[in-house]
Amino acid sequence: MTPTSSSNAFDSLRALATPQGEVWIHRLDLMAQDLGLDVARLPITIKILLEAALRNVDGLRVRAEDVDRLARWDAKKKAESEFPFLPGRVVLQDFTGVPCVVDLAAMRDAMKALGGDPSRINPLVPVDLVIDHSVQVDYFGTRDALGKNATIEFARNRERYEFLRWGQKAFKNFRVVPPATGIVHQVNLEFLASVVRVDATSGKRLAFPDTLVGTDSHTTMVNGLGVLGWGVGGIEAEAAMLGQPLYMIAPEVVGFRLHGRLKEGVTATDLVLTVTQMLRKKGVVDKFVEFYGDGLSGLSLADRATVANMAPEYGATCGFFPVDDEALRYLKATNRAADAAVAEIYCKEQGLFRVDGAPSPEFSDTIELDLGDVVPSLAGPKRPQDRVALSAIKSTFRSALTAPVKDRGYGLAEADLAKSGTLTRDGKTTTLGHGTVVIAAITSCTNTSNPSVMMAAGLLAQKALAKGLSVPAHVKTSLAPGSKVVTEYLTRAGVLAPLEALGFDVVGYGCTTCIGNSGPLPEDVTKAVNDAGVVSAAVLSGNRNFEGRVHPLTRANWLASPPLVVAFALAGTTDLDLTTEPLGKGKDGQDVYLKDVWPTQEEVARAVTSSLQPEMFARSYGNVFDGNETWNAIRTGGGELYDWDAASTYIRNPPYFEGLTKTPAPTRDLAGARVL
């Protein structure tokens, strides 16, 4: 069990030939042979944690006994001792990432004050910050909404953007993806993630699994690509940035077996809402969920990412899909063929590659789902785990109106059920009652990364427009793609124009409505809803719908697939059963039903295949860090040190390093301390 050296624990380091040249890997089988253990039985997530420990053995941060203990992970026994985990990289978003960069800037000042070289202060692992949480839907329903919202975004966030622009230029190992590029998790999935990283800083080209932590809970989305990562707080993220391990208890791993295939008319959104409901009931808090079974072969990578994204909603640390042929196909389709070649050889060599028919790992517990049992669904009206079949939306909503608030209802009296208001615009009067849709938003990383549901929304809009349907004036519509690639393939498929004709113009590339950046509602809509006292609704393709999160005025909030967002926008209300009641009347005066405009799986697949090309990803991400001219024009000063603004109430030099000396002061007893 004695490692031969701190950099070659258990004599595990060996060369591996790849199409991209020779790399070195820390072989799990050699480590297991040294310990007399069988690691083939381990869940793949545990193997990835084990490789990270093995690779980083230095006798200080990670010890050989840490590796030994983790290698003996027991599926039937809850671990009690901690082990160190050193992720390969860190991903930040613009709100939660700012404090991390502020602390780095403060460290540089402290280094300078002590007579050192401040340029030595940099992240020790690669850090990417994606600006995606700042854009708000102020303008909508017009072709120029994107540009106008971007202009307001830069004006509102000037100070923060100046600081981050300085950081982009000042720090090594730190990159910033500018505003109006995409949502952090989609950019991570489509561009930043490599599945297997190759690093040459040690002198050898060392290959290892791509692992990360991020300062956003939905960092878990990248687990759909076989990249292990999850959301953490700022302190943990900073520790990882500075090369310090995160200490964690070896997790229980719940195996989720998928089998069968999704039925016609069922989307990945319906699947994730079903999985979320099941795992919430199961109880997976602080646990890993690892998906397995032959059902995975029928799920696209984008479908898997949809399920992995909502791990925070089902309570797990992560929802992991192993690397397999579909993951390799996705890498190639998104312009990362070189990454795919290395990932295939590495993962197969290390026992991290999934193949149908292979023995299942040993799991702490298991749960299973026949994909054929999934039905069209929404979640709400107050929680993401409260899945409701599409056919039951009307009855569920009406029951919620009079249910007690403690039972997630609205506590209305019977006399209040008949309340309604009116909205008059362009000479046309509309009645607004309970369930009236005032926000319909295709938004959020959960679904905008998935070409099948985005294309389905576009095809539904195309069919609805051909029937003569339109969106009522009281509905605020918006389309916030997760990356520019989405806009490009929707345009190429000829479905962006129909979406725009229904009011779903692109309003920005960011989280928007899903995080509450839905912007103000038109004044006449606000007045009508407030005067009538009705429970108005939002329908969004997001991942969270807690009351008050989406918009203060929308008390009922429903999570739905992008095509269902368009459908409910057309209907103008959630107080109906779309499986039996019409969306509205067509230009021929006849009722138009959801089934009349819903695209088939074959239509969606044909549109995706003909419209989505690797070259789109090459164009969108080819100059991703410096392709925004407005961002590039931001003036920054200070050079290697940040020029703090003493008048700022937002970005301040923290006092952590005041009085810092080269020689630490001796430790003293604490006196007079009390519990807060």
Side-chain angles (χ1 to χ4, degrees):
M1 198 187 89
T2 303
T4 57
S5 73
S6 61
S7 60
N8 188 15
F10 305 96
D11 193 27
S12 62
L13 194 61
R14 294 291 187 277
L16 178 67
T18 80
Q20 308 305 315
E22 183 181 74
V23 297
W24 291 80
I25 69 173
H26 286 273
R27 296 189 62 107
L28 294 175
D29 55 353
L30 294 181
M31 177 272 303
Q33 180 180 322
D34 188 287
L35 292 174
L37 298 174
D38 173 24
V39 294
R41 64 182 175 82
L42 295 176
I44 291 178
T45 45
I46 297 296
K47 290 181 184 178
I48 293 173
L49 294 176
L50 185 57
E51 188 281 341
L54 174 64
R55 172 168 37 90
N56 287 293
V57 168
D58 59 4
L60 181 64
R61 297 176 304 170
V62 184
R63 300 168 301 165
E65 46 265 43
D66 294 321
V67 177
D68 187 347
R69 191 166 58 251
L70 185 58
R72 298 178 190 277
W73 182 87
D74 188 339
K76 302 305 176 186
K77 184 179 179 182
K78 191 170 183 178
E80 296 180 351
S81 56
E82 291 182 326
F83 75 94
F85 171 56
L86 285 141
R89 59 190 176 95
V90 175
V91 172
L92 312 173
Q93 48 102 320
D94 46 325
F95 279 140
T96 53
V98 167
C100 298
V101 185
V102 165
D103 286 352
L104 287 174
M107 289 181 202
R108 283 199 164 184
D109 279 11
M111 176 69 91
K112 178 73 172 178
L114 292 174
D117 179 4
S119 67
R120 294 178 60 191
I121 300 295
N122 295 287
L124 294 180
V125 301
V127 178
D128 290 296
L129 184 147
V130 181
I131 300 177
D132 70 334
H133 275 54
S134 301
V135 62
Q136 182 171 296
V137 188
D138 290 281
Y139 290 91
F140 68 99
T142 61
R143 287 285 184 91
D144 59 357
L146 174 63
K148 287 183 175 180
N149 287 329
T151 298
I152 295 174
E153 175 188 353
F154 272 88
R156 281 187 179 133
N157 300 282
R158 179 192 57 79
E159 183 180 6
R160 184 153 46 89
Y161 286 5
E162 287 176 352
F163 174 68
L164 293 176
R165 177 76 171 131
W166 167 81
Q168 181 187 41
K169 295 163 65 176
F171 292 110
K172 298 175 182 177
N173 236 10
F174 176 72
R175 303 185 297 185
V176 176
V177 177
T181 302
I183 299 175
V184 55
H185 314 306
Q186 190 159 342
V187 173
N188 193 17
L189 184 75
E190 293 180 349
F191 174 66
L192 299 176
S194 59
V195 178
V196 171
R197 294 178 61 83
V198 178
D199 182 90
T201 54
S202 64
K204 288 184 176 181
R205 296 182 71 236
L206 189 65
F208 51 92
D210 184 8
T211 59
L212 70 147
V213 291
T215 57
D216 190 290
S217 58
H218 293 100
T219 300
T220 54
M221 181 172 169
V222 78
N223 286 272
L225 185 56
V227 175
L228 185 62
W230 57 87
V232 295
I235 293 176
E236 291 91 342
E238 283 196 43
M241 287 166 57
L242 298 175
Q244 294 302 303
L246 307 180
Y247 290 93
M248 55 189 292
I249 301 292
E252 296 178 58
V253 183
V254 176
F256 199 128
R257 178 173 172 256
L258 297 174
H259 56 95
R261 298 183 74 88
L262 295 175
K263 294 183 295 190
E264 181 70 45
V266 174
T267 68
T269 313
D270 305 319
L271 170 60
V272 71
L273 296 180
T274 302
V275 167
T276 299
Q277 183 184 47
M278 292 176 66
L279 288 174
R280 268 289 179 182
K281 183 177 180 181
K282 179 78 171 176
V284 291
V285 174
D286 292 333
K287 300 176 184 178
F288 283 11
V289 173
E290 187 169 314
F291 293 89
Y292 72 107
D294 56 12
L296 270 65
S297 296
L299 292 179
S300 70
L301 196 289
D303 290 350
R304 301 174 187 189
T306 303
V307 175
N309 178 286
M310 285 188 71
E313 280 68 45
Y314 46 79
T317 301
C318 64
F320 183 84
F321 289 81
V323 176
D324 61 4
D325 288 334
E326 172 59 17
L328 300 179
R329 184 207 63 78
Y330 182 80
L331 285 174
K332 295 171 186 175
T334 51
N335 197 44
R336 288 172 287 179
D339 290 339
V342 175
E344 179 175 11
I345 291 173
Y346 178 91
C347 291
K348 287 180 176 178
E349 198 73 21
Q350 289 279 56
L352 305 178
F353 198 85
R354 186 196 76 85
V355 293
D356 281 339
S360 301
E362 295 178 7
F363 293 112
S364 308
D365 198 356
T366 58
I367 187 172
E368 69 176 88
L369 171 66
D370 183 342
L371 295 172
D373 292 338
V374 180
V375 299
S377 304
L378 289 83
K382 293 189 177 186
R383 301 192 308 179
Q385 65 264 39
D386 294 334
R387 184 190 65 84
V388 181
L390 177 62
S391 59
I393 293 298
K394 181 177 182 177
S395 58
T396 299
F397 176 66
R398 289 194 169 183
S399 296
L401 288 175
T402 55
V405 174
K406 66 180 180 65
D407 295 328
R408 297 185 298 282
Y410 298 97
L412 300 184
E414 288 292 331
D416 295 328
L417 297 181
K419 284 184 174 180
S420 65
T422 57
L423 172 70
T424 301
R425 191 182 294 178
D426 298 329
K428 184 178 179 181
T429 299
T430 306
T431 300
L432 308 184
H434 297 301
T436 292
V437 175
V438 295
I439 291 177
I442 299 176
T443 179
S444 169
C445 49
T446 310
N447 288 290
T448 58
S449 65
N450 193 322
S452 64
V453 293
M454 295 299 288
M455 199 67 77
L459 291 171
L460 189 147
Q462 189 178 64
K463 291 171 180 281
L465 203 62
K467 292 282 187 181
L469 296 180
S470 60
V471 174
H474 57 77
V475 183
K476 180 174 184 176
T477 47
S478 61
L479 168 59
S483 75
K484 293 180 179 179
V485 175
V486 179
T487 304
E488 191 168 349
Y489 69 66
L490 290 178
T491 301
R492 182 165 179 165
V495 297
L496 183 61
L499 284 165
E500 291 172 337
L502 294 179
F504 287 94
D505 296 84
V506 174
V507 296
Y509 295 94
C511 298
T512 64
T513 304
C514 189
I515 59 166
N517 285 1
S518 49
L521 293 177
E523 290 184 8
D524 54 354
V525 175
T526 299
K527 186 176 188 307
V529 172
N530 283 332
D531 289 351
V534 296
V535 178
S536 62
V539 183
L540 66 152
S541 61
N543 44 43
R544 290 184 180 170
N545 56 340
F546 310 115
E547 188 171 356
R549 176 184 174 93
V550 173
H551 190 281
L553 204 64
T554 58
R555 298 177 61 193
N557 301 285
W558 297 92
L559 304 182
S561 64
L564 282 180
V565 170
V566 177
F568 277 103
L570 291 164
T573 180
T574 57
D575 187 25
L576 85 169
D577 178 359
L578 282 186
T579 63
T580 60
E581 297 179 69
L583 290 165
K585 290 192 181 296
K587 56 188 175 184
D588 58 1
Q590 299 299 308
D591 286 338
V592 178
Y593 292 86
L594 182 62
K595 61 183 176 61
D596 298 328
V597 296
W598 191 269
T600 65
Q601 288 180 349
E602 183 182 352
E603 288 175 316
V604 172
R606 188 165 58 244
V608 171
T609 301
S610 63
S611 304
L612 192 57
Q613 305 296 331
E615 294 77 19
M616 294 178 177
F617 294 89
R619 280 193 296 272
S620 283
Y621 292 112
N623 62 344
V624 65
F625 300 109
D626 56 9
N628 186 315
E629 292 305 321
T630 308
W631 172 260
N632 294 341
I634 294 176
R635 299 183 62 181
T636 62
E640 63 186 19
L641 297 177
Y642 183 64
D643 186 12
W644 304 96
D645 181 358
S648 174
T649 58
Y650 181 40
I651 295 177
R652 302 292 297 270
N653 192 346
Y656 314 138
F657 303 110
E658 291 178 4
L660 184 69
T661 58
K662 290 184 179 181
T663 304
T667 56
R668 297 178 298 151
D669 291 337
L670 293 175
R674 60 187 178 86
V675 175
L676 293 176

